[in-house]
Amino acid sequence: MTAASAPTPLMSRPGRNYRLLTAAAIITGLGTHGALIAAAFAVLESGGAGGDVGLVAAARTAPLVLFLLIGGAIADRLPRHRVMVAANALNCVSQAAFAWLVLAGDPKLWQMMLLTALCGTGQAFFNPAAEGMLMSSVSREQASRAFALFRMSMQGAAIGGAALGGAMIAAMDPGWVLAIDAASFAVAGALRAFLDVSHIPSRAPGGGLFADLRDGWQEFIGRPWLWSIVAQFSVVVAAVGAAESVYGPLVARDELGGARPWGFALAAFGVGTLGGALLMMRWRPRRLLLAGTLCVFPLALPSAGLAVPLPVAGLCVVMFVSGAAIEVFGVSWMTAMHQEIPEEKLSRVSAYDWFGSVAMMPLATALAGPVEALVGRSEALWGCAGLIVLVTGAVLFVPEVRNLTRATVTTEVVTAKAQGPASADAEGSVGRLG
């Protein structure tokens, strides 16, 4: 076993960070999933068209792409919890201002784009710090189950958030849903301020921000399984984003009866992820990435279902299946990252992961409206489904994707004993997380 994959020291108070991270994720999940629907319908109710919905969605993801790598480098330099709290504060202020504009009436497109861009900037700094913090808070032995439980909690919040958001938008102004999202960021940020980072070793002085970015890039590009799947997801996330952020609300408005049924469909996706997470708490596939990648194919189903379009019940079924499948991938991917990437580089590598995965999202959402006008909405949705199938099939030709295996418990115990009693004690303490 290499030093890169050796277990790292863990938190001094068993489960404390894990519980705080999970609670905060639940709170923000309840607010954010409703707010995503609210933002789309705020644009539509202000007189905007499908292209305007795409522009607002692109305004959120563009700064996410621009600042992710810097966010990852900073998160590996500064205490990660401070980066997370600062990002939550920015999200809170931007969403509160967005809510005020919508509730005041007649928000302008440029205003909505600007405030959404600020929210995306906060996420760019938050995501790498949060992923590094979560991965450093669990042992390898418990990683798969802990990640599944965390994602199950988070997706459970998505179920409630999407359903509540759709119901609230049907009954009242979307601005109130945005205001709830702002409050959720404030509460979650307060919880994250209490995270304990004493278990994370101090970083040795480096050569500066760009040297850190270069070091993270070398770690990223040197692993074919890593960069190939990130390249795959740059297309998958773009296709899913265009289908669900732009075309989904339009299909819901024109074919399904409005925001409420679309909220139910998104909630069905959340129920599916809940089922997938429950499965992954018990199932430990030996070939992590092969099992995960095969479960990306069903992500094409929602685009195809919207293209038909299926009735609400049928759409909920395909959203459920895709939700369960992507959760198998998500837990497998996080377990592989936790197993293979050194702790001190987790946030930087996570930043390259996030960057590659969302790089095409702004372009896809911005072009969704023009593509619909050019070829038609149904044809555009079939195109999204086809792209997902194509790139997922291609990544299976990478040997490392097919062959990367889960580290055995026996190997982990031998390595922990070789590192001495402190490491073994840390492993045992976090084993009680589950």
Side-chain angles (χ1 to χ4, degrees), residues 239 241-252 262 306 364 367-372 376-377 380-381 384:
E244 296 188 5
S245 297
V246 180
Y247 299 136
L250 295 173
V251 172
W262 183 234
L306 288 167
L367 291 179
V371 169
E372 178 191 10
R377 186 184 301 165
L381 283 162
C384 291

Side-chain angles (χ1 to χ4, degrees), residues 253-325:
R253 182 191 65 183
D254 298 340
E255 307 286 346
L256 303 178
R260 186 188 295 266
W262 183 234
F264 288 151
L266 293 177
F269 179 87
V271 174
T273 60
L274 194 64
L278 282 170
L279 171 65
M280 292 304 288
M281 289 184 69
R282 295 186 174 275
W283 183 39
R284 295 167 58 88
R286 181 172 177 269
R287 295 191 180 186
L288 285 168
L289 297 181
L290 177 61
T293 300
L294 290 174
C295 287
V296 179
F297 285 107
L299 287 187
L301 293 175
S303 296
L306 288 167
V308 173
L310 292 176
V312 176
L315 185 60
C316 287
V317 170
V318 299
M319 293 287 277
F320 174 88
V321 171
S322 65

Side-chain angles (χ1 to χ4, degrees), residues 3-252:
S5 60
T8 55
L10 299 167
M11 65 182 118
S12 58
R13 282 190 264 183
R16 181 175 181 273
N17 279 3
Y18 183 80
R19 289 191 296 270
L20 285 171
L21 289 166
T22 302
I26 291 171
I27 291 168
T28 53
L30 284 169
T32 299
H33 284 82
L36 291 174
I37 307 173
F41 280 89
V43 175
L44 295 174
E45 290 182 9
S46 68
D52 296 324
V53 174
L55 287 173
V56 172
R60 182 185 185 92
T61 52
L64 188 61
V65 173
L66 288 174
F67 296 113
L68 260 172
L69 298 183
I70 297 174
I74 289 176
D76 275 340
R77 278 179 164 263
L78 301 178
R80 289 176 180 144
H81 70 310
R82 293 183 182 174
V83 178
M84 296 167 71
V85 170
N88 283 166
L90 178 58
N91 289 144
C92 174
V93 171
S94 61
Q95 288 295 79
F98 195 172
W100 180 81
L101 282 174
V102 173
L103 291 170
D106 195 28
K108 302 295 187 291
L109 179 63
W110 71 266
Q111 294 172 324
M112 292 186 285
M113 291 178 65
L114 175 62
L115 293 170
T116 303
L118 288 175
C119 196
T121 301
Q123 289 302 113
F125 286 87
F126 175 84
N127 289 344
E131 194 153 323
M133 193 74 206
L134 177 64
M135 290 186 182
S136 71
S137 297
V138 297
S139 70
R140 179 177 302 160
E141 182 181 353
Q142 292 294 321
S144 183
R145 186 182 179 197
F147 295 151
L149 182 59
F150 176 84
R151 292 173 66 93
M152 182 174 66
S153 301
M154 189 171 61
Q155 298 299 345
I159 299 169
L164 180 61
M168 288 183 66
I169 294 166
M172 62 184 69
D173 196 294
W176 290 112
V177 182
L178 295 168
I180 291 173
D181 189 35
S184 74
F185 279 117
V187 175
L191 287 176
R192 288 165 177 144
F194 291 99
L195 289 168
D196 180 8
V197 296
S198 62
H199 65 287
I200 300 176
S202 299
R203 269 55 172 181
L209 185 65
F210 290 105
D212 285 351
L213 289 172
R214 186 169 55 251
D215 193 27
W217 170 253
Q218 291 171 349
E219 190 76 33
F220 173 80
I221 202 66
R223 302 173 186 271
W225 63 268
L226 182 57
W227 62 255
S228 62
I229 288 183
V230 170
Q232 169 205 9
F233 265 78
S234 69
V235 177
V236 171
V237 170
V240 171
E244 296 188 5
S245 297
V246 180
Y247 299 136
L250 295 173
V251 172

Side-chain angles (χ1 to χ4, degrees), residues 1-8 140 339 415 419:
M1 182 176 291
T2 64
S5 60
T8 55
R140 179 177 302 160
Q339 173 179 302
T415 305
Q419 290 188 335

